[in-house]
Amino acid sequence: MSSNSRLKAFFYGLSMKQVVYSLITFLFLVFFLVLTIWSEGAVNGLLDQQAARRWDKEGKSAQVSCFLSESVEIDDFMIMSFERQLEQQLKEVLSAEEYSEENGKRLVVDAYSSQGRVSVLSDKGSLETDAVGVGGDFFLFHPLTLVSGSYISGDNLMKDYIMLDEEGAWQLFGSSDIAGQSVMIGGVPHYVSGVYKRPEGRFAENAGYDKSIVYLSNESLAAYGEGGKISTYEVMAPNPVKGFVYTAVKEKLGVKETDMVVVENSSRYSIESLIPVILDFGARSMQNSAVKFPYWENIGRAYEDVRALALLFQFIFLLIPCVIIMAFLFIKWKNRSFTIKDVGNYLIDAKDRIRQNAKGRK
């Protein structure tokens, strides 16, 4: 038997068992591919977790969220002090060109928020609902889907603006096109900046988006509603080395580590970050700290669990085909009827055929 014939025989003559294993290998690889595409798409759809990607297309920045326990008191002065410290740290490690204001990009972007309840009155109705008090560039981190109007601006945050969801807008005005209309909160006029569409899906509903939620300034919530105590701080900034911004928040914000939960959103769904989630899958849901997560973080954590479970199945779907292929190759190699010299001759013959075909085309 020639070298070519013996080498070709290596790939032919498969038994029924080998055909079944080949089919299993193919199906598991398809499952792996489908699960990878689905899980990546699900994570990319979480806009609250993708702020750094939107803000810095080069991928050199990090988004970090800090969730505070109910016992923590944090104010504008502490936030401004942290901003200055972080900016100074960044200027020490970045080149002047990277932090120059001439490039039109701020070095540090941040926001804070609180949770509570308010009563909102209009000429046509009333609404008592959950509320989120916002400050800084909140809607850069959380780009809600607008139905009409605009976001409450972070640059010149008006203390008397409010955002309603569609359900709240219809309850108060019988319409969703109500930007500029006035409502009363605590006897003080406020104006509708915009109307947004509530996130949909089982996770969103379980997280708290199953009912109306209004957004207004943190100052208005504290003055005219129930709440207003800052419970979440979020920041985006260049990340010159891994964990730079994350470490800065933990060490420089002025809050004890036991009184906060810090999350690096921009890397939370990476394989490296999900492995601890898998290892801590059961105990992770047991919260010992007095931290109440906002709606968007509850959704983010739910998808973290889903992504971790998907990663586990991805590993299984990839491992089984690899084991089958390795076993197949090992058996074939052990029972091979050709030598290394045959392989060399086959490659030389193939090279000669290619060269001859190329000459024939000329």
Side-chain angles (χ1 to χ4, degrees):
M1 184 181 291
S2 66
S3 299
N4 287 355
S5 300
R6 287 197 297 270
L7 188 63
K8 287 179 180 179
F10 179 74
F11 298 101
Y12 293 102
L14 296 178
S15 65
M16 181 57 68
K17 182 185 293 186
Q18 290 170 330
V19 170
V20 171
Y21 280 129
S22 297
L23 183 59
I24 292 173
T25 298
F26 174 76
L27 290 176
F28 271 73
L29 289 175
V30 170
F31 291 155
F32 170 80
L33 182 61
V34 170
L35 188 57
T36 299
I37 294 173
W38 175 82
S39 60
E40 288 295 325
V43 167
N44 291 336
L46 298 175
L47 299 182
D48 299 298
Q49 310 295 326
Q50 308 294 334
R53 184 182 297 183
R54 294 191 300 270
W55 186 62
D56 182 0
K57 302 299 183 183
E58 297 180 1
K60 297 181 179 179
S61 299
Q63 173 189 357
V64 174
S65 299
C66 179
F67 305 101
L68 308 169
S69 72
E70 296 178 357
S71 63
V72 172
E73 296 283 350
I74 187 172
D75 54 27
D76 292 348
F77 176 79
M78 291 178 65
I79 291 173
M80 291 176 61
S81 175
F82 171 74
E83 288 175 356
R84 288 194 294 268
Q85 291 183 70
L86 180 56
E87 287 181 351
Q88 185 58 42
Q89 279 187 290
L90 287 168
K91 289 179 178 179
E92 291 174 358
V93 296
L94 297 176
S95 65
E97 183 180 351
E98 289 179 290
Y99 65 77
S100 172
E101 294 183 359
E102 294 178 0
N103 61 19
K105 183 177 178 181
R106 287 176 290 169
L107 196 57
V108 175
V109 178
D110 61 1
Y112 56 89
S113 57
S114 61
Q115 302 178 62
R117 291 184 63 83
V118 291
S119 295
V120 185
L121 303 176
S122 73
D123 294 336
K124 298 182 179 180
S126 64
L127 178 67
E128 185 167 340
T129 183
D130 287 350
V132 177
V134 304
D137 290 294
F138 180 85
F139 293 104
L140 281 179
F141 292 84
H142 307 284
L144 299 170
T145 302
L146 287 173
V147 176
S148 64
S150 60
Y151 298 122
I152 301 172
S153 174
D155 293 331
N156 53 355
L157 185 63
M158 300 298 292
K159 306 299 186 286
D160 56 357
Y161 271 107
I162 184 173
M163 287 185 65
L164 302 167
D165 68 345
E166 291 175 288
E167 181 181 329
W170 278 92
Q171 187 169 335
L172 290 171
F173 293 98
S175 172
S176 59
D177 188 14
I178 57 171
Q181 296 287 337
S182 65
V183 297
M184 300 294 289
I185 302 177
V188 177
H190 285 68
Y191 301 92
V192 179
S193 172
V195 177
Y196 73 94
K197 182 178 180 64
R198 283 208 310 260
E200 298 177 342
R202 183 168 60 89
F203 285 163
E205 292 176 0
N206 291 339
Y209 275 114
D210 57 335
K211 56 187 178 298
S212 286
I213 298 173
V214 302
Y215 291 82
L216 70 167
S217 72
N218 191 67
E219 290 82 357
S220 282
L221 180 58
Y224 312 118
E226 301 173 12
K229 185 177 181 179
I230 296 173
S231 57
T232 301
Y233 175 70
E234 302 169 275
V235 60
M236 285 187 293
N239 205 41
V241 294
K242 182 179 177 182
F244 183 91
V245 181
Y246 175 86
T247 302
V249 171
K250 294 191 74 171
E251 296 180 353
K252 304 294 182 182
L253 188 58
V255 179
K256 291 190 298 183
E257 190 169 342
T258 54
D259 288 332
M260 62 180 176
V261 175
V262 183
V263 175
E264 186 166 343
N265 308 77
S266 41
S267 64
R268 72 186 303 176
Y269 299 108
S270 66
I271 294 177
E272 181 180 358
S273 299
L274 289 172
I275 289 176
V277 176
I278 295 173
L279 298 177
D280 199 29
F281 201 82
R284 154 184 160 83
S285 60
M286 303 176 188
Q287 268 296 336
N288 295 320
S289 58
V291 175
K292 181 181 179 181
F293 294 118
Y295 314 114
W296 57 88
E297 175 59 16
N298 281 328
I299 295 173
R301 288 174 69 85
Y303 272 97
E304 207 171 32
D305 289 340
V306 170
R307 183 69 183 89
L309 192 60
L311 180 63
L312 185 60
F313 277 101
Q314 283 176 284
F315 174 75
I316 294 172
F317 289 153
L318 195 59
L319 176 64
I320 292 175
C322 287
V323 171
I324 292 174
I325 292 172
M326 292 298 294
F328 171 77
L329 292 175
F330 175 77
I331 293 171
K332 280 294 186 179
W333 179 260
K334 187 177 179 180
N335 300 323
R336 70 189 185 278
S337 59
F338 62 89
T339 64
I340 297 298
K341 184 178 179 181
D342 293 331
V343 175
N345 292 334
Y346 177 82
L347 294 176
I348 292 173
D349 291 343
K351 181 180 177 182
D352 290 340
R353 287 196 300 271
I354 293 172
R355 185 179 300 170
Q356 291 172 2
N357 290 337
K359 288 181 178 179
R361 285 195 296 270
K362 290 181 179 180

